[in-house]
């Protein structure tokens, strides 16, 4: 079993930066990727970025080169560096770890989320 704990959220002015961290405790060899999602009030949860165990990354179009996902395997932590933040980036940010077993069974671990508020 794996527990994910996000940190690093807070209040920041437009144009500012935050670095979110997703620390994992426990282990699961079936995990193959870690994502950051976000959910704004009244909106559906949306994928922000993904990083595979091999380090491949992919981003949602709205990140527009402003966000960078990275991982530190020694610390079992995945980061989301967010620059040039906009008010529309305001949301709860969640990390999740995707796993799949050889038989095809798959699922996700989720953290509790961290609030990001971009406002002047």
């Amino acid at each position: 079993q794996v527990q994910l704990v996000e940190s690093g959220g807070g209040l920041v002015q437009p144009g500012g930066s935050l670095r979110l961290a997703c620390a994992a405790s426990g282990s699961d060899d079936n995990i193959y990727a870690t994502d950051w999602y976000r959910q704004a009030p009244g909106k559906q949860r949306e994928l922000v970025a993904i990083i595979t165990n091999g380090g491949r990354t992919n981003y949602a179009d709205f990140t527009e080169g402003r966000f960078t996902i990275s991982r530190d395997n020694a610390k079992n932590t995945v980061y989301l560096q967010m620059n040039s933040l906009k008010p529309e980036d305001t949301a709860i940010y969640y990390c999740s770890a995707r796993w799949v077993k050889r038989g095809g069974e798959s699922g996700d671990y989720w953290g509790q989320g961290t609030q990001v508020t971009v406002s002047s």
Side-chain angles (χ1 to χ4, degrees):
Q1 192 74 330
V2 171
Q3 290 78 44
L4 303 176
V5 178
E6 301 97 333
S7 62
L11 173 64
V12 64
Q13 292 187 340
S17 298
L18 283 175
R19 187 176 80 155
L20 307 183
C22 172
S25 60
S27 64
D28 184 342
D29 292 339
N30 297 308
I31 291 174
Y32 64 94
T34 304
D35 310 319
W36 281 99
Y37 281 81
R38 71 184 188 183
Q39 187 166 19
K43 295 187 177 182
Q44 289 189 334
R45 191 172 295 188
E46 59 183 353
L47 180 65
V48 178
I50 179 173
I51 185 166
T52 68
N53 286 2
R56 295 182 66 179
T57 60
N58 202 8
Y59 298 88
D61 289 343
F62 63 76
T63 62
E64 300 172 323
R66 301 177 296 126
F67 295 2
T68 302
I69 190 170
S70 62
R71 63 187 309 131
D72 183 335
N73 291 330
K75 296 182 178 180
N76 282 338
T77 301
V78 171
Y79 301 96
L80 184 68
Q81 176 69 42
M82 305 187 295
N83 300 325
S84 302
L85 283 162
K86 305 174 182 181
E88 51 264 44
D89 294 317
T90 295
I92 300 175
Y93 284 71
Y94 300 89
C95 72
S96 77
R98 305 184 186 188
W99 56 266
V100 62
K101 296 182 179 180
R102 286 190 174 186
E105 181 185 1
S106 63
D108 307 275
Y109 299 106
W110 286 90
Q112 81 292 346
T114 185
Q115 176 71 47
V116 171
T117 303
V118 185
S119 175
S120 55

